């Protein structure tokens, strides 16, 4: 009897355990929270598959949440990171196309002094709600085009606004007008090109004109007059920072990898990134992105998408470990790891293990004794119907480093997953 039979393809669930990596802590007898936590289901995946460690960007480089996820999604961050502006714009509801420039903005309070606009509050008294929406509405109704480039504003959280420029000959290589955190009582900075290209010069001119027009429109706005009468600060100008552009050669996830992706996440930055890459994305009800998040709700949403869609690669981001790391809360990190492990158990029990590849990874390490992202590699584990199985029995930073995958970069993850799914296209 021949051993050969038609090759079966599989689906994949990739758990992105945000900030899970850590360093040895004296309080834990020089172990990490991941080593101490009771996590039989993570260990089950590690012991029934292959393991390794991963540098989300490259060895020693500290990833941001956005750049770490971009790499996990299979895109080289050095080539395809669009900047924070596009991420926030998409999160605020904008639909961006390659070549569009998106910029983060604040509604701010300025006074005129010596023919300059001096920022006295970068957040306009933390304006929010209907007041902020009415201000943005006025901007949209009155600033529609500058130098043939379409101008759009999108209200975001509280005082935050996204500015989108659509047209030919634009560049994100421009400076910020925002004087910076804790730099009130300084003038709005002139936006300047950061290279010698005509595209950067044009974009800088447009943004400077938009800022000037915003002040002319808003300084006597009825909302601001009322706010001043109530003893509140007016939102009479926008200040800009973090310009970015969707790369012209960016291909959607399904075109790049020939599979459908779906992202379940706990923060808007990741939702925005996923949508830029053409993937459907959502934050489940009850997913709060902190240590009190409803992991059961996240698990139920995973099963709902798994059972009721043609999604082939399902990404699941859980934020809690990162929050605990930033707070130096090693006990909280242990507890959220154990909560996530119970969610993984639920997902393992309600999906077909004979037809699914399961992956454990992270976008970066957030050690409790550093309280920030570091360049330490993160542990990874792959379990699937045809995975090779190494000798590692525990999912943690030290044991996984001995696994057969070895040490990879974040952009290597999706090709490995697709290979285990029997969906990788042949090279050559």
């Amino acid at each position: 009897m021949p051993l050969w039979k038609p090759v079966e393809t599989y689906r994949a669930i990739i758990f992105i355990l945000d900030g899970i990596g850590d360093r040895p802590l004296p309080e834990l007898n020089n172990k990490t929270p991941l080593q101490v936590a009771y996590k039989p289901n993570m260990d089950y995946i590690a012991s029934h598959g292959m393991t390794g460690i991963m540098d989300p960007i490259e060895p020693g480089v500290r990833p941001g949440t956005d750049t770490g996820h971009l790499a996990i999604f299979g895109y080289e961050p050095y080539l395809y990171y669009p900047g924070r502006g596009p991420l926030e714009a998409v999160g605020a509801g904008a639909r961006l196309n390659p070549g569009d420039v998106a910029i983060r903005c604040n509604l701010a309070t300025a006074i005129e002094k010596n023919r300059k606009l001096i920022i006295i509050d970068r957040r306009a008294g933390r304006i929010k709600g209907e007041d902020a929406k009415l201000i943005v509405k006025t901007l949209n109704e009155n600033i529609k085009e500058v130098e043939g480039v379409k101008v759009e504003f999108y209200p975001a959280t509280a005082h935050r606004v996204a500015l989108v420029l659509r047209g030919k000959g634009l560049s994100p290589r421009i400076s910020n007008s925002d004087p910076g955190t804790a730099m009130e009582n300084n003038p709005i900075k002139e936006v300047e090109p950061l290279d010698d290209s005509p595209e950067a010069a044009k974009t800088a001119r447009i943004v400077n004109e938009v800022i000037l027009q915003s002040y002319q429109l808003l300084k006597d706005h009825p909302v601001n007059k009322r706010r001043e009468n109530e003893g509140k600060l007016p939102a009479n100008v926008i200040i800009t920072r973090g310009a970015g552009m969707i790369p012209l050669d960016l291909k959607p996830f399904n075109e790049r990898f020939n599979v459908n992706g779906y992202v379940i996440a706990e923060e808007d930055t990741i939702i925005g990134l996923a949508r830029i890459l053409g993937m459907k994305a959502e934050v489940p009800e009850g997913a709060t992105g902190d240590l009190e998040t409803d992991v059961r709700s996240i698990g139920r949403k995973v099963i709902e998408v798994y059972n009721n869609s043609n999604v082939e690669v399902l990404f699941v981001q859980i934020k809690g470990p990162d929050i605990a790391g930033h707070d130096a809360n090693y006990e909280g990190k242990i507890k959220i790891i154990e909560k996530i492990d119970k969610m993984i158990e639920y997902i393992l029990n309600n999906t077909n293990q004979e037809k699914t590849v399961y992956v454990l990874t992270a976008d970066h390490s957030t050690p409790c004794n550093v309280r920030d992202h570091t360049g330490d590699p993160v542990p990874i584990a792959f379990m699937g119907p045809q995975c090779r199985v190494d000798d590692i029995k525990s999912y943690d930073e030290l044991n996984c480093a001995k696994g057969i995958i070895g040490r990879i970069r974040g952009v290597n993850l999706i090709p490995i997953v697709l290979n285990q799914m029997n969906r990788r296209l042949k090279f050559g």
Side-chain angles (χ1 to χ4, degrees):
M1 291 286 292
L3 294 175
W4 183 88
K5 60 181 180 179
V7 175
E8 187 173 4
T9 57
Y10 308 116
R11 303 168 74 185
I13 300 176
I14 301 175
F15 299 100
I16 305 173
L17 313 176
D18 202 308
I20 198 79
D22 217 295
R23 293 177 177 176
L25 298 171
E27 298 87 347
L28 299 177
N29 294 321
N30 288 320
K31 294 185 176 181
T32 69
L34 198 52
Q35 288 177 294
V36 172
Y38 178 68
K39 48 179 185 11
N41 298 287
M42 295 185 196
D43 292 344
Y44 173 83
I45 291 174
S47 62
H48 287 77
M50 50 189 187
T51 59
I53 54 174
M54 183 181 82
D55 297 291
I57 310 299
E58 60 182 346
V61 174
R62 297 173 56 205
T65 294
D66 46 8
T67 53
H69 276 79
L70 184 63
I72 289 172
F73 293 153
Y75 293 78
E76 174 59 70
Y78 292 120
L79 296 177
Y80 292 108
Y81 180 54
R84 286 297 298 272
L87 298 182
E88 294 209 6
V90 172
R95 291 183 176 273
L96 297 182
N97 300 310
D100 293 344
V101 169
I103 306 170
R104 304 169 73 192
C105 303
N106 280 12
L107 296 176
T109 305
I111 58 171
E112 293 184 61
K113 186 176 181 181
N114 298 327
R115 302 180 69 180
K116 292 185 177 180
L117 291 177
I118 308 299
I119 296 298
I120 61 172
D121 191 303
R122 294 176 59 254
R123 302 175 182 87
R126 293 193 179 274
I127 187 173
K128 60 182 179 180
E130 195 62 26
D131 281 0
K133 290 179 181 178
L134 288 171
I135 292 290
V136 175
K137 183 172 183 283
T138 294
L139 293 173
N140 272 320
E141 288 174 346
N142 291 275
I143 309 177
K144 295 181 179 294
E145 188 174 296
V146 176
E147 292 192 29
V149 171
K150 292 182 179 179
V151 179
E152 300 172 2
F153 299 88
Y154 294 84
T157 304
H159 57 276
R160 298 180 182 88
V161 179
L163 167 62
V164 177
L165 305 178
R166 303 184 193 274
K168 295 181 179 180
L170 298 174
S171 169
R173 296 285 297 153
I174 59 172
S175 65
N176 299 334
S177 66
D178 185 346
T181 302
M183 293 296 290
E184 278 82 4
N185 300 313
N186 280 285
I188 295 177
K189 295 180 177 180
E190 184 84 4
V191 178
E192 299 178 347
L194 297 179
D195 60 33
D196 295 330
S197 69
E199 292 84 3
K202 175 181 177 179
T203 308
R205 286 197 312 272
I206 291 171
V207 174
N208 283 322
E209 178 63 23
V210 168
I211 293 168
L212 180 61
Q213 288 192 31
S214 76
Y215 180 71
Q216 296 300 326
L217 279 168
L218 300 178
K219 64 179 182 178
D220 297 317
H221 193 282
V223 167
N224 286 326
K225 290 297 185 184
R226 174 177 54 76
R227 287 178 64 83
E228 290 178 298
N229 290 336
E230 294 172 351
K232 298 177 182 178
L233 291 172
N236 59 12
V237 73
I238 62 164
I239 51 178
T240 60
R241 66 188 187 281
M245 175 185 279
I246 304 298
L248 293 171
D249 60 344
L250 182 71
K251 288 185 178 180
F253 183 85
N254 64 338
E255 290 184 21
R256 183 176 176 87
F257 297 112
N258 202 34
V259 291
N260 293 316
Y262 198 104
V263 176
I264 294 171
E266 292 203 273
E267 58 180 310
D268 288 340
T269 298
I270 307 308
I271 297 298
L273 178 59
R275 289 174 178 166
I276 285 174
L277 300 177
M279 290 187 280
K280 292 183 178 179
E282 64 177 306
V283 178
E285 185 176 353
T288 56
D290 55 24
L291 301 185
E292 305 306 318
T293 191
D294 187 351
V295 294
R296 293 171 297 180
S297 176
I298 298 172
R300 288 193 295 269
K301 178 55 68 174
V302 171
I303 300 306
E304 177 186 326
V305 174
Y306 183 91
N307 287 335
N308 297 293
S309 73
N310 63 347
V311 170
E312 290 139 330
V313 179
L314 178 55
F315 298 94
V316 188
Q317 181 237 11
I318 306 96
K319 184 69 174 175
D322 180 56
I323 299 298
H326 282 292
D327 291 342
N329 182 2
Y330 63 88
E331 292 178 337
K333 195 164 188 177
I334 292 169
K335 289 180 181 177
I336 190 64
I337 289 169
E338 294 177 347
K339 285 177 65 175
I340 294 169
D341 193 76
K342 295 294 290 184
M343 180 198 73
I344 291 174
E345 178 183 33
Y346 172 77
I347 292 170
L348 289 172
N349 289 339
N350 287 277
T351 52
N352 187 344
Q353 294 187 30
E354 295 182 357
K355 296 183 180 295
T356 308
V357 175
Y358 304 89
V359 183
L360 302 176
T361 189
D363 55 339
H364 54 75
S365 293
T366 311
C368 292
N369 53 8
V370 178
R371 300 190 65 181
D372 204 348
H373 303 182
T374 66
D376 298 274
V378 299
I380 53 175
F382 302 77
M383 182 183 79
Q386 296 181 353
C387 275
R388 297 172 181 174
V389 180
D390 58 29
D391 296 329
I392 304 307
K393 304 299 180 187
S394 174
Y395 177 71
D396 62 64
E397 300 89 343
L398 294 185
N399 278 293
C400 287
K402 306 170 188 174
I404 60 174
I405 291 294
R407 187 167 185 165
I408 66 171
R409 295 182 64 218
V411 291
N412 302 139
L413 186 91
I414 283 294
I416 294 173
V417 173
L418 294 175
N419 183 56
Q420 294 303 317
M421 296 167 65
N422 292 328
R423 292 180 181 272
R424 183 71 172 154
L425 298 179
K426 185 183 292 184
F427 179 76

